[in-house]
Amino acid sequence: MNRKIVNLFLIIASIFFTANTFIWAQNDVVKIKSYNSYDKIHAGSEFKLAVNVNVSEGRHINSDKPHEGFLIPTKLTIEQNKNFTLKKIIYPKAEDIRLDISDKPLSVWTGNVYFGGVIEAAKTLAPGKYKVTVNVEYQSCNNKTCLPPNNAKETIEVEVSAGTEAVANANQDVFRNIDFGDSKPQPAQAEVGNPASTGSSSLQQMLEHSGLLLSLILVFIGGLALNL
C-alpha cells in the first residue's frame, strides 16, 4: 500500500515538473522591450511606440497575416485603458519560409524584429506619470511543431507634462528601425487664440494701424462691394 502511494506521488511530481518546465519554456520563447518616442507628452497628443520583439533561436512566430487560415496571427495591443488609445499599428515585413509542418511557405518572423504603434493620450489627462501595458499575442513554432498561443507583456511609464512645458525626442536609434510612413505624431502645442476669429482680428488690426484716410478708403470700397 505504501509503495503504491509513493509511486502515485512520483507520478504527480513528474507531471507537475513537466508542466512547469513546459510553461517556463513557452514563456521564454518571445521577449519584448518597449520604448516611447518622447521623454514627456502633452495631454491630447500622440506619441510613437516601438516594441523590440526577440524570438528565440530555432523558433518563429506567425506574422500578422499568416498564409494558412488555421495559424494564429501575431498581434500588438495595449491593455484597455481610458487614458490611452492605440490608433495605428506598424508591423515589419514578414519572411516566407518552408517547414516540415506545412506544404506551403509560411509567413513568419524570426530573430529580432520591431513593431510600431501610434498612441493617443486623452485630452483630460492631468500632469503626472501613467502606466501603459504593452501586449504581444503570438503562436510560436519550430520546424516540426507549434506551441499553444501565448503572449508577452511589458508595462512602460508615460509622463504627461503641463501644456506649456517643452518635450524632447527619445530613443531615436530604436525608432529608426520602424517605417511609420506618413504618420508623424507631434507633441500638442499650447493653444493660441481662437482660429475662428483670425479673419476679423486681422482686419481690426489693419484698421487700427492704418491712417484715417486709408481707413475711409477701405470702408468706401467695402460699401461699393456690398451695393454690387
Side-chain angles (χ1 to χ4, degrees):
M1 182 70 178
N2 291 337
R3 186 172 181 179
K4 289 183 178 179
I5 294 175
V6 171
N7 289 337
L8 179 61
F9 175 79
L10 291 175
I11 292 172
I12 294 173
S14 176
I15 294 172
F16 180 79
F17 176 79
T18 303
N20 276 277
T21 302
F22 174 80
I23 293 171
W24 177 84
Q26 168 89 329
N27 291 336
D28 200 48
V29 168
V30 173
K31 295 180 180 179
I32 66 172
K33 179 67 177 175
S34 304
Y35 303 86
N36 187 349
S37 58
Y38 299 117
D39 62 341
K40 302 179 184 68
I41 66 166
H42 294 152
S45 69
E46 293 182 343
F47 64 94
K48 295 176 182 177
L49 171 72
V51 183
N52 179 209
V53 180
N54 186 270
V55 184
S56 62
E57 186 176 357
R59 305 201 69 86
H60 66 265
I61 58 176
N62 301 319
S63 73
D64 60 311
K65 296 177 181 178
H67 298 325
E68 300 283 3
F70 63 88
L71 294 174
I72 297 175
T74 298
K75 187 178 181 182
L76 171 65
T77 61
I78 62 173
E79 288 195 352
Q80 188 172 3
N81 189 328
K82 64 180 181 180
N83 296 323
F84 300 95
T85 304
L86 184 60
K87 305 290 288 187
K88 183 177 181 180
I89 303 173
I90 298 94
Y91 293 110
K93 183 179 180 180
E95 57 179 317
D96 285 355
I97 60 175
R98 286 188 174 274
L99 299 172
D100 293 347
I101 61 174
S102 177
D103 296 333
K104 301 177 181 178
L106 301 179
S107 177
V108 303
W109 291 307
T110 60
N112 205 45
V113 293
Y114 289 87
F115 296 173
V118 177
I119 298 178
E120 181 181 55
K123 296 179 181 179
T124 55
L125 284 181
K129 294 182 179 180
Y130 298 83
K131 302 291 186 181
V132 177
T133 300
V134 179
N135 183 36
V136 175
E137 303 172 14
Y138 66 90
Q139 182 183 35
S140 70
C141 306
N142 59 18
N143 190 39
K144 295 183 179 296
T145 60
C146 290
L147 293 173
N150 200 6
N151 65 332
K153 292 185 178 182
E154 186 188 26
T155 299
I156 61 172
E157 187 176 79
V158 178
E159 183 174 353
V160 178
S161 67
T164 55
E165 187 178 350
V167 301
N169 291 326
N171 304 308
Q172 292 306 293
D173 56 329
V174 175
F175 283 90
R176 279 194 284 268
N177 295 294
I178 305 169
D179 181 11
F180 281 87
D182 296 330
S183 177
K184 297 178 181 179
Q186 297 295 330
Q189 301 298 320
E191 185 175 337
V192 180
N194 181 5
S197 63
T198 303
S200 58
S201 298
S202 300
L203 178 59
Q204 182 180 354
Q205 291 175 2
M206 184 172 63
L207 290 174
E208 289 175 353
H209 291 85
S210 303
L212 177 60
L213 179 60
L214 180 56
S215 297
L216 291 174
I217 293 173
L218 290 174
V219 172
F220 177 72
I221 293 174
L224 287 177
L226 288 174
N227 287 329
L228 291 174

